[in-house]
């Protein structure tokens, strides 16, 4: 599988309204739920929060890549303002990727 297979235009949010890390996550998860990428938004949110508690997925250079691997993911996907995301470099994040990977998809994400 190539990255172009995961980047779906209908999942991209070009006018993200979020002003906080949690709002950004909620907005992206809502889109994943709306497009039936995840079957349970609450489970996916809980697992992505738990992953974030281990280490920030705010990578630096304005990019965050929050993610979770769970059985509530129907198909893998990636979805795309500057918000404080606890990035490793302390800078605001302007580009968000949310990776939704099926449980057991070790290398796919």
């Amino acid at each position: 599988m190539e990255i172009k297979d995961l980047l779906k235009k209908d999942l991209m949010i070009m006018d993200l309204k979020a002003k906080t890390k949690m709002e950004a996550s909620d907005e992206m998860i809502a889109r994943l739920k709306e497009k039936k990428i995840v079957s349970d938004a609450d489970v996916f949110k809980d697992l992505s929060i738990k992953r974030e508690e281990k280490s920030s997925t705010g990578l630096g250079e304005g990019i965050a890549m929050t993610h979770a691997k769970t059985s509530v993911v129907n198909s893998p996907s990636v979805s795309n303002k500057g918000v404080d995301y606890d990035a490793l470099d302390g800078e605001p994040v302007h580009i968000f990727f949310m990776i939704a990977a099926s449980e057991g998809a070790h290398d796919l994400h």
Side-chain angles (χ1 to χ4, degrees), residues 71-85:
S71 62
V72 302
V73 174
N74 298 320
S75 65
S77 68
V78 178
S79 49
N80 178 52
K81 239 150 185 125
V83 302
D84 180 3
Y85 207 86

Side-chain angles (χ1 to χ4, degrees), residues 4 6 30 37 43 50 54 72 76 90 94 98 103 107 109:
K4 66 181 179 66
L6 297 173
I37 298 297
V43 168
K50 286 180 180 168
K54 292 180 183 178
V72 302
H94 300 274
M98 177 165 281
E103 197 168 35
D107 294 331
H109 87 288

Side-chain angles (χ1 to χ4, degrees), residues 58-70:
L59 304 175
E61 304 284 328
I63 299 174
M65 195 172 298
T66 188
H67 58 282
K69 289 189 277 186
T70 171

Side-chain angles (χ1 to χ4, degrees), residues 1 6 8 11 29-41 43-44 68-78 99-103 105 108:
M1 183 174 284
L6 297 173
K8 298 174 171 100
L11 294 177
I29 291 170
R31 178 66 58 94
L32 293 175
K33 175 69 171 150
E34 172 192 336
K35 297 298 182 177
K36 299 185 181 0
I37 298 297
V38 298
S39 60
D40 190 319
V43 168
F44 189 79
K69 289 189 277 186
T70 171
S71 62
V72 302
V73 174
N74 298 320
S75 65
S77 68
V78 178
I99 301 174
S102 304
E103 197 168 35
L108 189 56

Side-chain angles (χ1 to χ4, degrees), residues 89-102:
D89 64 358
E91 296 296 318
V93 171
H94 300 274
I95 300 171
F96 301 88
F97 295 95
M98 177 165 281
I99 301 174
S102 304

